[in-house]
Every structure is written in C-alpha cells, then in structure tokens.
C-alpha cells in the first residue's frame, strides 16, 4: 500500500494577490460551480472535451455531487457559477442531457452537456489531461474545492500512486467537496474528480478522469474508422462486420452487429479476435467494457446489468473474475475482495445494501472458509472458523453490545462439542453440546 504524508500547504484562492499572480488559478476558480437540487448540494466544474472533430462543453461532477437518478428525473436542478463576480445560473428543469456514453467505464462520474443556449463563456472551460497516467507518481497536484458551508479554497499535494483508475494523493480535502477538480499544477489540466473520503483507505483518493478521456479517444477512432470503412461483411447467421481487415481476418478497429442491426461488439481486433479495449453487448442487454486478449476478457473491465448499473468491476483473467474486484448483486448488496477462476477466493468483504459490512474474512471457492466475521442485521455477530460456508470449528457468538453469548465449538453451523453459553441475566452453561442442544455433562 502507498505511504501517506501529512505535509499539506493550503491556500485560499479567493485572495486577490494570488489571482493576479497566477491567471491559471483564477481560471480554475472561475470554472467551479455549485449544484443545488431538492435533495443534494454539490460541487462541479466545467470542462471541454473533443469528440472526433468537434468541441463539446460539459458540467462534470460525481454521484456525491449529483446522483444519476436525480439527473434523469424531472427534479429542478440549479447550476450556480460566478464568472468574474457575475452571478449566473443554469436551470436544468427541462433537459437533463445526461451523457451516458462518456461514463461507461468509469465508476462515479456524471457528465451533463452544456448547449449553446446556456450562454456560458467558453473561455472558462478547463481541459482534461489526455496523456499517459501511470508515470505521474510524485507529480504535484492542486484541488480547488467548495467545502460544506465554506468559501472556495485551494490545497496542494502530491500523487502517491494510481491503481484501477483511482488516484491516491496526500492533499487535504474537506467534507462537502465531492465533485471538485484535481489538476496538475504545471499544466492546469484536470486529471481527476475528488471523491468523498473513504474511511477504509489510509489516504485520500479520487476518481480519475482518465477513463472518460480514453473512452472518448477510443470512440473517436471507432466512429472515424467505421465511417471511412463502410464495407459490410455478412455472415451466414445474418450478423455482419464493418471495420479493418488483414489477410481476410478482422484486424484493427471494427464492429460486429447482430442481424437486427444492434451492435454486438465494437473495439479492437487482432487476427479475428477481440484484443485491446472493446465493448461487448449481450443479447439480454447486459454489456462489458474493458480489456480483451485473444478473444477473452482479460485485464481491467466492467460488466453492467441491462439497466446500466455496474454488475462487476475489477480484474479478469481468461474471461473470468480473477484478482481484485467488486461484484454488485441485484439487491444492491456487494462483495469486494479477491477472486480466482470466477469465484470469491481469498480475503474479502460482503456488504449489506446500506453499506454496512455483512461478512469479512476468508473465502474458498465462493464460500466462507477459514477465519471470518459475520454480522447479522440485528447487530449480533459471529467471529471464528468457517468451513464450506458454515460456522465450523472454534468461534464466538456476540450480542449487539459486544458481549459474548456463546464461545466454543461449532459443527455445520450448530453448537457442537464443548462450549459456554451465557444468558442475559448472567447465568451460564458450560459443557457438551450436540446438534445445537445441551447434551451430556
């Protein structure tokens, strides 16, 4: 794990001297806005993205600043900005303009297109960092943020590391600043979006804007190539392919279509097989976006339910979940941890749909096995040994106040062997158990 640092240098960017000295900081400060809706208040910023040969202008935030379901609803949304001390606002009560295509491979970025009629001065739109991200460790960053009920402020730090499209850094961030831009100090290009702090991590982290920019570049290449190369290769089952070919094989950028004209796969091919970055859409509407190797999902990627919600995000090896990954069940409970050959295997956690931990510990081939802690919905919990998904071996059962109810032996989820059961009034039984019942002396 990365090493953390407490060295922080905070600067208030409302200071007029700083604005006069550094015009770029002024640009960043003027590019940030507040977002108000009935149920949320957040921070966002304006950014310019290039799609193919056209400049497009957007408001960017994340789920903490403005949830996707609110964006898609009929709820009134105000975007308040202050270009050169002139109070302005955009009201999104009619056209929400949620751009899903630009967020397909990112966990937590909301993008709303700004149209010509919104009359925002385009000189205040920031540019994203479009270069290689994995050589940026140690680079100096800045964060401009609107903490809850505070004025705009500015903090500095360094990039500690990058893993799975998350940016780890040591700059200070404050409650209520989710959705604020993180930018490279030397270029003022936005590299990430501040995410609300996570107590499970030893340092701050942000969602990288990188997957969005990579997807844009990827889409641009595909759109251009499919437009230039419109020769259609039709298969016997009615499906067809449009794209690059080499020696009679699919090679380069292309797309396969179902016979009804809906895209089945678009992305990169090498010698007739999916390889590189690609999007595969299943007939049931679920889809995968991520890396491929030799025709199989391999590397980092995401699978989605047919309603657009993430089903799995993490690592794949030869078409199966392997390494670290997060699987979200349809009831919104989720697992985060290690996988092997498509099964939960190693260390991990299962969470209830309210975000509280349900189980943490060891897994073996999709089942609790080894040492683990299971927390019941009423607050009681078990900590001890597991086998084949059942409490088995030595363990303790606790009430919601951390008082031991039972300590001793378990076999196949029941008290069996030698154990001590403590009643609420303080009396207790210590002796032999069989099949969950006191048995013997």
């Amino acid at each position: 794990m990365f090493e953390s640092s407490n060295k922080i240098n905070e600067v208030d960017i409302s200071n007029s001297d700083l604005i006069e000295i550094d015009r770029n900081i002024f640009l960043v400060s003027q590019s940030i806005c507040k977002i108000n809706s009935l149920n949320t208040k957040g921070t966002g910023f304006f950014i310019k993205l290039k799609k193919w040969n056209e400049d497009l202008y957007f408001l960017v935030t994340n789920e903490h600043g403005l949830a996707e379901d609110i964006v898609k609803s009929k709820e009134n949304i105000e975007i308040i900005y202050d270009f050169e001390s002139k109070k302005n606002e955009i009201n999104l009560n009619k056209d929400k303009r949620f751009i899903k295509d630009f967020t397909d491979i990112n966990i937590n970025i909301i993008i709303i297109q700004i149209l010509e009629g919104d009359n925002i001065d385009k000189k205040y739109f920031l540019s994203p960092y479009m270069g290689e991200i994995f050589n940026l460790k140690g680079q100096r960053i800045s964060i401009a943020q609107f903490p809850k009920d505070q004025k705009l402020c500015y903090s500095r730090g360094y990039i500690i590391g990058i893993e799975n499209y998350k940016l780890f850094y040591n700059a200070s961030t404050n409650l209520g600043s989710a959705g604020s831009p993180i930018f490279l100090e030397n270029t003022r290009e936005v590299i990430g979006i501040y995410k609300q702090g996570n107590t499970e991590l030893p340092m701050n982290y942000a969602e990288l804007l990188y997957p969005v920019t990579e997807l844009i570049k990827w889409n641009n290449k595909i759109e251009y190539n499919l437009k230039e190369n419109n020769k259609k290769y039709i298969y016997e089952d009615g499906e067809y392919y449009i794209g690059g070919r080499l020696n009679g094989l699919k090679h380069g950028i292309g797309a396969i279509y179902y016979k009804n004209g809906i895209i089945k796969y678009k992305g990169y091919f090498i010698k007739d097989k999916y390889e590189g970055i690609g999007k595969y859409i299943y007939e049931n509407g679920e889809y995968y976006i991520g890396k491929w190797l030799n025709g199989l999902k391999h590397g980092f990627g995401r699978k989605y339910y047919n309603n657009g919600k993430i089903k799995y995000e993490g690592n794949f090896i030869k078409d199966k979940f392997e390494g670290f990954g997060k699987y979200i069940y349809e009831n919104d409970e989720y697992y985060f941890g290690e996988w092997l050959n498509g099964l939960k295997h190693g260390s991990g956690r299962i969470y209830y749909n309210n975000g509280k931990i349900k189980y943490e510990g060891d897994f073996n081939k999709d089942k609790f096995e080894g040492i683990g802690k299971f927390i019941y919905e009423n607050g009681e919990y078990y900590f001890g040994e597991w086998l084949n998904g059942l409490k088995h071996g030595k363990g303790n059962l606790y009430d919601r106040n951390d008082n031991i109810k039972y300590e001793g032996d378990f076999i196949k989820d029941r008290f069996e062997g030698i154990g001590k059961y403590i009643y609420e009034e303080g009396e207790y039984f210590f002796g032999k158990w069989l099949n969950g019942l006191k048995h013997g002396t």
Side-chain angles (χ1 to χ4, degrees), residues 238-281:
E239 293 185 355
Y240 58 94
Y241 169 78
I242 298 175
R245 291 175 69 84
L246 180 66
N247 296 326
L249 302 176
K250 296 183 288 292
H251 193 88
I253 295 172
I256 296 176
Y257 296 78
Y258 290 107
K259 59 184 179 182
N260 60 6
I262 295 175
I263 288 178
K264 180 178 184 178
Y265 172 87
K266 68 175 181 178
Y268 290 88
F269 294 81
I270 291 182
K271 295 181 179 179
D272 235 24
K273 295 186 176 181
Y274 311 146
E275 192 148 328
I277 295 178
K279 177 178 182 179
Y280 187 97
I281 304 170

Side-chain angles (χ1 to χ4, degrees), residues 161 183 209 220 311 340 418 426:
F183 52 94
L209 197 61
N220 289 348
K311 184 175 188 177
L340 180 66
I418 301 298

Side-chain angles (χ1 to χ4, degrees), residues 169-420:
Y169 58 90
N170 63 4
S172 64
T173 43
N174 298 305
L175 185 66
S177 301
S180 298
I182 298 174
F183 52 94
L184 297 172
E185 278 214 342
N186 59 341
T187 64
R188 304 300 174 200
E189 294 171 312
V190 179
I191 188 171
I193 300 171
Y194 166 51
K195 180 179 173 66
Q196 187 173 352
N198 188 326
T199 56
E200 296 175 17
L201 295 173
M203 65 203 70
N204 292 320
Y205 77 98
E207 304 290 350
L208 279 170
L209 197 61
Y210 172 80
V212 174
T213 59
E214 282 299 289
L215 185 60
I216 292 168
K217 289 189 287 187
W218 173 70
N219 271 332
N220 289 348
K221 288 180 182 178
I222 289 176
E223 287 182 14
Y224 178 79
N225 277 269
L226 293 181
K227 183 175 181 179
E228 294 298 308
N229 184 356
N230 56 13
K231 189 174 182 180
K232 184 185 294 187
Y233 299 86
I234 304 174
Y235 302 102
E236 291 183 1
D237 61 1
E239 293 185 355
Y240 58 94
Y241 169 78
I242 298 175
R245 291 175 69 84
L246 180 66
N247 296 326
L249 302 176
K250 296 183 288 292
H251 193 88
I253 295 172
I256 296 176
Y257 296 78
Y258 290 107
K259 59 184 179 182
N260 60 6
I262 295 175
I263 288 178
K264 180 178 184 178
Y265 172 87
K266 68 175 181 178
Y268 290 88
F269 294 81
I270 291 182
K271 295 181 179 179
D272 235 24
K273 295 186 176 181
Y274 311 146
E275 192 148 328
I277 295 178
K279 177 178 182 179
Y280 187 97
I281 304 170
Y282 299 90
E283 291 188 84
N284 66 358
E286 293 189 354
Y287 58 97
Y288 166 82
I289 295 183
K291 293 186 177 180
W292 299 79
L293 180 66
N294 200 31
L296 303 174
K297 295 180 284 291
H298 194 91
F300 183 79
R302 287 191 173 93
K303 287 191 74 173
Y304 294 79
Y305 290 105
N306 56 18
N307 61 6
K309 290 187 176 181
I310 293 173
K311 184 175 188 177
Y312 172 85
E313 60 174 343
N315 205 56
F316 290 78
I317 300 287
K318 294 182 179 179
D319 240 23
K320 295 187 176 180
F321 310 150
E322 192 151 325
F324 276 94
K326 178 180 179 181
Y327 187 97
I328 305 170
Y329 299 92
E330 290 189 81
N331 66 354
D332 288 331
E333 291 190 356
Y334 62 95
Y335 167 81
F336 177 77
E338 294 179 288
W339 297 80
L340 180 66
N341 200 31
L343 303 174
K344 297 182 285 291
H345 192 90
S347 297
R349 286 178 173 177
I350 293 177
Y351 294 80
Y352 290 106
N353 56 19
N354 62 7
K356 293 183 178 180
I357 294 173
K358 183 176 187 177
Y359 173 86
E360 59 179 335
D362 300 325
F363 290 79
N364 183 36
K365 295 181 180 178
D366 240 22
K367 295 185 177 181
F368 309 151
E369 192 155 319
I371 302 296
K373 178 181 179 181
F374 187 98
I375 305 170
Y376 298 91
E377 290 187 87
N378 66 0
E380 294 186 352
Y381 61 95
Y382 167 82
F383 178 78
E385 295 178 297
W386 297 79
L387 180 67
N388 199 33
L390 303 174
K391 296 182 283 293
H392 193 93
K394 300 290 185 183
N396 293 346
L397 187 64
Y398 296 82
D399 66 21
R400 60 188 303 170
N401 297 315
D402 298 324
N403 300 310
I404 292 177
K405 290 180 68 173
Y406 174 86
E407 58 180 334
D409 299 325
F410 289 79
I411 291 182
K412 294 183 179 179
D413 243 18
R414 297 176 183 268
F415 307 153
E416 191 154 327
I418 301 298
K420 178 181 178 181

